[in-house]
Amino acid sequence: MDSTLAKGLAVLEWLARAGRECRVTEVAQAFGVPRSNAHRTLQTLVECGWATQDTATSGYRASMKLFELGAQAGAAADIPGLLRPLLARLAQATGETIHLAALDGAEILYLDKFDSPLPVAAYSRIGGRAPAYCVASGKALLATQQPDAEGLRALLGPLVAHTPRSITDHAALQAELNRVRARGFAENREEWRTGVCGLGAPVFDARGQAVVAVGMSVPSIRFARAQSRALSEMLLACAREASHMLGCPQAAGTPPFPRPSETHRRQTAWKPSNTAEGPAA
């Protein structure tokens, strides 16, 4: 490994995460190096365009070049392909149907899926759609936008009942989205298809913006409270790891990422790695 390059990249990341102007002394203390070494590294970053120096204060900041490169990388990323191994592991751990979904106007578009091997399972297909307010992945993504009742009305239009459990009142939907934001994931209890329930959690990118949701479809016969809690914990762990893979600044606390408890886990619990048709998810 090139230690000089590694040190430079580490300093650049430190500057970016600091989010403020930093002095040479701070960098030297943070990395345990002489002030002269820290100065040389910072000057190299400035000369290469990755940092800027204020001539009045002599402080350093990460430059907008870092943002530009990150935006380009994010635009070029194959998110479904990148996250597919995580979805596969979640499907294996839970035995349920797993989806990756994106918000498209008032609907959810299913980008990828893994079918449940169990005899009773939820049907769906890649490219299928569902009303965002009726499914868990849709509610998870709507909640990240934080619309008020009027905003929801403008986005979704009239809320049609697809089952007796569908939410058809915009104020009630707003209250539901508030609960989703508080706990970090959404539930659907037979709101889109009778007999099919679901869970959904948002996945955030490097800008802290929700780009997709991980969803899980579960037949209602396997969705008792204890079961849904165990499944939600595994879903949240997967969504957190997916966000980390997309560069989400979790340390900044942008998205709601509740930590899973150690209770109510299935025996095949999720283990993080080292590094208008559809289901209820």
Side-chain angles (χ1 to χ4, degrees):
M1 182 177 67
D2 188 326
S3 59
T4 301
L5 175 60
K7 181 176 67 176
L9 291 174
V11 172
L12 177 59
E13 182 179 356
W14 188 87
L15 283 177
R17 293 189 183 280
R20 59 178 176 80
E21 190 175 282
C22 301
R23 307 297 295 269
V24 174
T25 303
E26 292 180 82
V27 177
Q29 291 176 343
F31 289 89
V33 298
R35 190 177 184 280
S36 58
N37 287 6
H39 180 264
R40 185 163 54 251
T41 300
L42 289 166
Q43 283 298 310
T44 300
L45 292 175
V46 170
E47 291 172 11
C48 293
W50 292 105
T52 60
Q53 183 181 20
D54 189 309
T55 55
T57 64
S58 298
Y60 295 84
R61 287 179 178 270
S63 73
M64 292 302 293
K65 186 175 181 178
L66 192 62
F67 172 81
E68 179 184 3
L69 186 64
Q72 291 174 352
D78 174 14
I79 292 178
L82 186 65
L83 301 185
R84 196 157 217 273
L86 297 184
L87 302 185
R89 291 192 359 253
L90 182 62
Q92 183 178 19
T94 62
E96 304 296 351
T97 300
I98 304 300
H99 301 89
L100 189 69
L103 188 64
D104 185 20
E107 296 180 315
I108 280 296
L109 174 65
Y110 294 97
L111 307 177
D112 201 359
K113 65 168 289 191
F114 286 85
D115 285 317
S116 170
L118 300 175
V120 180
Y123 167 78
S124 67
R125 66 179 176 87
I126 297 174
R129 290 176 178 267
Y133 66 94
C134 287
V135 295
S137 53
K139 288 192 285 187
L141 290 173
L142 286 173
T144 65
Q145 299 187 358
Q146 301 193 11
D148 56 19
E150 288 306 311
L152 285 173
R153 191 182 303 276
L155 174 64
L156 303 176
L159 304 182
V160 178
H162 296 277
T163 76
R165 292 177 177 267
S166 298
I167 297 175
T168 57
D169 178 74
H170 287 87
L173 178 59
Q174 177 63 51
E176 172 71 3
L177 297 183
N178 288 340
R179 287 190 289 272
V180 172
R181 280 191 288 273
R183 63 189 178 186
F185 69 94
E187 281 188 346
N188 158 26
R189 292 184 176 271
E190 302 183 81
E191 297 165 43
W192 172 226
R193 293 287 185 255
T194 299
V196 182
C197 299
L199 296 164
V203 176
F204 299 86
D205 65 9
R207 301 165 296 172
Q209 296 181 0
V211 288
V212 291
V214 178
M216 183 186 304
S217 294
V218 187
S220 57
I221 59 174
R222 295 199 297 269
F223 207 67
R225 286 294 174 183
Q227 292 171 304
S228 65
R229 179 173 178 179
L231 292 172
S232 69
E233 291 176 348
M234 287 186 273
L235 183 81
L236 280 168
C238 178
R240 280 197 304 273
E241 188 171 357
S243 297
H244 179 71
M245 289 183 67
L246 297 185
C248 175
Q250 292 185 25
T254 303
F257 279 139
R259 301 296 301 180
S261 71
E262 294 302 320
T263 59
H264 297 93
R265 292 185 182 274
R266 289 191 171 187
Q267 186 174 3
T268 54
W270 168 265
K271 295 181 180 179
S273 66
N274 295 327
T275 57
E277 149 182 323

